[in-house]
């Protein structure tokens, strides 16, 4: 049953395509599923707090089935995005239709696509790394591979990490800081990598240069092909591509915001920070959301053991627990007064419990 559950991610592109052809209010089908039906199902269905038995972890990790789902998603996303280019190049859309279509595509490319890219980007296999790059190219966020793996995982829950939200910081303030500083950090990390190898940073060996050029080349190629076939300059394609990209990586930043809100690692007398543990990330084990997001919500275990594949991530009971799954928490984060009212007391209560336990 759990294997079948991971196919639920395919519901999103099906709703996007079906909603478009049904037209009218049904173009918002995908939004209703993600932000209404999924939270309701998360609430109604019992949480999944079961972990893979220790003796079975190695076998489950090696099962090709779980990899093939993520590999298949790469082709699904490319196909859906190219179909999106065809739609905006061929159909005349009203402003409400544009809004529904762009944001719906972002739920596919950002909500699921970046999640899959995150999973694949943690692997050493070259094919998986390439697949991660392709997915992130379609949302103009390829530098995430550098900053997330070599920056965020090292500096998480410290003031040095752009992707760790501070207590009392609204999502909108966080978004600007995380996007800007994360991009600059990726440049610095890549430049440092090249200097250690004795390579001049401003060269074709610099991944960051390629990561800026490849999305432009991709949308430029699609723009040229569709313009040639349509015998006009299809301006709708770059507008659509960059708009859905911004919304897609904003979804990523919303997830970043809620995953580590208010988390802090202690600074040791030697100037280093304490080791990352399950106590430094918010955990959520809502069953439906975890199927859709390939268990990304078991984020506490992911940060503690970044090498673990999604299918063997554990529920960590000692971690701070989100009151709902990501779909509901994303909506909450977009309204700062509501977010602070729900999360700040929960954060303080959890910290007080941890403090009292450490004293004992």
């Amino acid at each position: 049953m759990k294997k079948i559950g991971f196919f639920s991610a395919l519901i999103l592109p099906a709703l996007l395509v079906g909603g478009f052809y049904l037209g009218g209010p049904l173009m918002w089908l995908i939004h209703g599923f993600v932000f209404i039906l999924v939270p309701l199902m998360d609430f109604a269905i019992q949480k999944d707090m079961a972990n893979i038995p220790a003796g079975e972890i190695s076998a489950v990790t090696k099962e090709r089935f779980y990899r093939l789902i993520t590999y298949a998603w790469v082709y699904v996303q490319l196909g859906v995005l190219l179909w999106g280019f065809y739609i905006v190049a061929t159909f005349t859309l009203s402003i409400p239709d544009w809004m529904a279509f762009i944001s719906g595509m972002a739920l596919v490319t950002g909500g699921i696509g970046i999640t899959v890219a995150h999973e694949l980007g943690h692997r050493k296999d070259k094919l998986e790394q390439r697949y991660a790059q392709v997915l992130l190219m379609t949302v103009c966020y390829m530098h995430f591979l550098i900053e997330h793996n070599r920056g965020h995982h090292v500096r998480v829950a410290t003031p040095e990490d752009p992707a760790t939200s501070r207590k009392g910081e609204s999502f909108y303030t966080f978004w600007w800081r995380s996007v800007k500083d994360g991009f600059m950090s990726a440049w610095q990390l890549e430049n440092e990598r090249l200097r250690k190898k004795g390579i001049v940073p401003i060269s074709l060996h610099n991944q960051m240069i390629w990561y800026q050029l490849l999305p432009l080349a991709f949308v430029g190629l699609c723009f040229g092909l569709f313009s040639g076939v349509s015998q006009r300059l299809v301006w709708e394609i770059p507008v659509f591509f960059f708009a859905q990209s911004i919304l897609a990586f904003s979804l990523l930043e919303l997830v970043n915001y809620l995953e580590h809100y208010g988390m802090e690692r202690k600074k040791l007398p030697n100037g280093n920070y304490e080791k990352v543990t399950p106590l430094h990330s918010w955990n959520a084990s809502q069953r439906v959301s975890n199927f859709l997001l390939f268990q990304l919500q078991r984020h506490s275990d992911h940060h503690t053991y970044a090498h673990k594949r999604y299918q063997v991530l554990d529920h960590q009971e000692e971690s701070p627990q989100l009151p709902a799954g990501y779909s509901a928490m994303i909506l909450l984060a977009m309204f700062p007064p509501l977010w602070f009212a729900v999360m700040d007391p929960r954060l303080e209560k959890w910290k007080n419990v941890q403090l009292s336990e450490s004293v004992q």
Side-chain angles (χ1 to χ4, degrees), residues 83-136:
W83 168 79
F85 289 162
Y86 162 76
I87 293 300
V88 298
T90 307
F91 290 79
T92 300
L93 304 179
S94 65
I95 291 178
D97 287 347
W98 269 99
M99 293 172 62
F101 197 56
I102 290 171
S103 56
M105 183 63 72
L107 288 173
V108 172
T109 59
I112 306 298
I114 296 181
T115 301
V116 175
H118 166 262
E119 168 66 23
L120 296 172
H122 271 288
R123 310 299 150 225
K124 294 181 180 179
D125 181 84
K126 287 186 178 180
L127 177 62
E128 291 177 293
Q129 283 285 318
R130 290 289 179 267
Y131 278 154
Q133 289 170 340
V134 169
L135 290 173
L136 291 169

Side-chain angles (χ1 to χ4, degrees), residues 118 122 148 153 298-306 308 313:
H118 166 262
H122 271 288
H148 180 79
H153 270 265
R298 293 188 167 190
H299 208 63
S300 303
D301 198 44
H302 167 69
H303 264 277
T304 310
Y305 307 104
K308 292 175 71 171
L313 288 174

Side-chain angles (χ1 to χ4, degrees), residues 14-29 83 97:
L15 290 175
L16 177 68
V17 174
F20 174 80
Y21 287 114
L22 290 171
L26 294 179
M27 286 191 69
W28 298 91
L29 264 179
W83 168 79
D97 287 347

Side-chain angles (χ1 to χ4, degrees), residues 230-262:
S230 303
Q231 295 186 328
R232 68 179 183 90
L233 295 179
V234 187
W235 58 267
E236 294 92 343
I237 285 180
V239 169
F240 173 72
F241 177 71
F242 290 117
Q244 68 85 29
S245 292
I246 292 170
L247 289 180
F249 69 68
S250 294
L251 270 176
L252 164 66
E253 296 301 346
L254 274 160
V255 170
N256 279 336
Y257 178 78
L258 60 91
E259 284 175 336
H260 303 286
Y261 178 74

Side-chain angles (χ1 to χ4, degrees), residues 10-216:
L10 297 173
I11 294 173
L12 269 68
L15 290 175
L16 177 68
V17 174
F20 174 80
Y21 287 114
L22 290 171
L26 294 179
M27 286 191 69
W28 298 91
L29 264 179
I30 185 173
H31 305 78
F33 175 77
V34 171
F35 294 118
I36 299 176
L37 187 57
V38 169
L40 288 174
M41 289 191 292
D42 274 342
F43 178 78
I45 298 174
Q46 187 178 18
K47 291 182 181 179
D48 175 21
M49 296 186 286
N51 296 328
I52 302 292
E56 299 177 19
I57 290 177
S58 178
V60 176
T61 297
K62 294 175 183 176
E63 279 198 56
R64 288 183 57 82
F65 171 85
Y66 295 101
R67 298 190 196 187
L68 292 176
I69 296 176
T70 57
Y71 296 175
W73 179 265
V74 180
Y75 298 96
V76 170
Q77 178 157 315
L78 282 173
V80 172
L81 185 59
L82 290 174
W83 168 79
F85 289 162
Y86 162 76
I87 293 300
V88 298
T90 307
F91 290 79
T92 300
L93 304 179
S94 65
I95 291 178
D97 287 347
W98 269 99
M99 293 172 62
F101 197 56
I102 290 171
S103 56
M105 183 63 72
L107 288 173
V108 172
T109 59
I112 306 298
I114 296 181
T115 301
V116 175
H118 166 262
E119 168 66 23
L120 296 172
H122 271 288
R123 310 299 150 225
K124 294 181 180 179
D125 181 84
K126 287 186 178 180
L127 177 62
E128 291 177 293
Q129 283 285 318
R130 290 289 179 267
Y131 278 154
Q133 289 170 340
V134 169
L135 290 173
L136 291 169
M137 177 193 69
T138 64
V139 293
C140 300
Y141 226 56
M142 297 184 76
H143 69 278
F144 174 78
L145 284 172
I146 296 173
E147 167 55 22
H148 180 79
N149 291 3
R150 286 147 52 187
H152 175 60
H153 270 265
V154 175
R155 301 178 297 214
V156 64
T158 73
E160 286 80 23
D161 180 34
T164 296
S165 51
R166 305 2 172 179
K167 181 187 175 183
E169 180 180 41
S170 74
F171 164 68
Y172 303 100
T173 301
F174 167 81
W175 183 93
W176 175 248
R177 178 172 58 79
S178 185
V179 171
K180 174 178 64 68
D181 293 354
F183 181 75
M184 297 306 297
S185 174
W187 273 105
Q188 292 169 3
L189 289 167
E190 180 64 1
N191 290 348
E192 288 172 9
R193 181 185 74 86
L194 293 174
R195 289 193 184 101
K196 287 179 181 178
K197 291 186 174 183
I199 301 174
V200 179
I202 305 302
S203 69
L204 294 180
H205 295 282
N206 193 315
Q207 289 182 311
M208 283 298 289
I209 293 176
W210 286 106
Y211 287 173
Q212 312 319 304
L213 295 177
L214 287 172
L216 295 176

